[in-house]
């Protein structure tokens, strides 16, 4: 299990690359490899329900920093979780870079039989945490708008007068 300090250093390095489109391939490769390593070292079970998925997500985070990875409410088929550590992308407005970094968490949840969507990102929300939604893999997620799509949805709307 990696320490929170090592996690934060990795996050800072990956954030540097995720902000630069030139390194999209490297960022995806690195987040995939780190997720594979985490999965290999921790061997998560396939979850039977959304509560188990949320717990597995939290348990796959550094043991000495789990207080930053909070399980909020669980409604019906969705677990809402939050990441309260200071992300290097906080306030940058670069939600696409956040989406690239969160590939790591999405891969972890895929391995446990789930789907993870970032609903709010520290990069552009003005909040000091990110808000995520987790569902069992295969369930409809069309009602969950990813943070990196929200601005695009609003930009594509036109008003007529």
């Amino acid at each position: 299990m990696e320490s929170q300090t090592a996690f934060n250093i990795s996050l800072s390095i990956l954030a540097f690359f995720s902000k630069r489109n030139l390194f999209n391939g490297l960022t995806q490769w690195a987040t995939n490899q780190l997720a594979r390593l985490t999965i290999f070292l921790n061997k998560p079970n396939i979850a039977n329900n959304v509560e188990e998925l949320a717990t597995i997500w939290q348990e796959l985070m550094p043991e000495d920093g789990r207080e930053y990875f909070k399980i909020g409410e669980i409604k019906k088929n969705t677990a809402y979780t939050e990441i309260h550590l200071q992300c290097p992308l906080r306030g940058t407005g670069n939600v696409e870079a956040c989406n690239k970094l969160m590939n790591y968490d999405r891969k972890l949840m895929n391995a446990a039989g789930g789907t993870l969507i970032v609903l709010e990102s520290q990069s552009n929300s003005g909040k000091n945490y990110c808000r995520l939604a987790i569902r069992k893999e295969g369930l409809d997620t069309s009602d969950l708008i990813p943070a990196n799509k929200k601005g695009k949805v609003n930009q594509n709307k036109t008003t007529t007068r």
Side-chain angles (χ1 to χ4, degrees), residues 38-69:
T38 301
I39 292 162
F40 173 77
L41 293 174
N42 295 284
K43 298 174 182 33
N45 294 322
I46 299 294
N48 294 309
N49 56 55
V50 71
E51 292 88 356
E52 287 180 15
L53 277 170
T55 300
I56 290 169
W57 169 77
Q58 189 178 52
E59 288 173 350
L60 289 171
M61 298 303 150
E63 191 172 354
D64 63 340
R66 288 201 184 131
E67 71 271 12
Y68 300 116
F69 304 91

Side-chain angles (χ1 to χ4, degrees), residues 6-97:
F7 185 91
N8 290 346
I9 292 168
S10 299
L11 184 63
S12 293
I13 292 167
L14 289 170
F16 172 84
F17 290 109
S18 73
K19 291 189 276 186
R20 293 157 177 84
N21 288 335
L22 176 66
F23 298 111
N24 284 351
L26 175 64
T27 303
Q28 180 158 359
W29 177 84
T31 55
N32 284 339
Q33 295 308 309
L34 287 171
R36 287 180 65 194
L37 179 62
T38 301
I39 292 162
F40 173 77
L41 293 174
N42 295 284
K43 298 174 182 33
N45 294 322
I46 299 294
N48 294 309
N49 56 55
V50 71
E51 292 88 356
E52 287 180 15
L53 277 170
T55 300
I56 290 169
W57 169 77
Q58 189 178 52
E59 288 173 350
L60 289 171
M61 298 303 150
E63 191 172 354
D64 63 340
R66 288 201 184 131
E67 71 271 12
Y68 300 116
F69 304 91
K70 301 178 186 234
I71 299 171
E73 61 184 337
I74 297 178
K75 289 185 177 178
K76 203 173 168 182
N77 61 0
T78 309
Y80 295 94
T81 62
E82 296 176 353
I83 301 174
H84 283 263
L85 60 84
Q86 174 139 0
C87 178
L89 297 174
R90 183 182 289 176
T92 64
N94 195 339
V95 71
E96 286 302 325

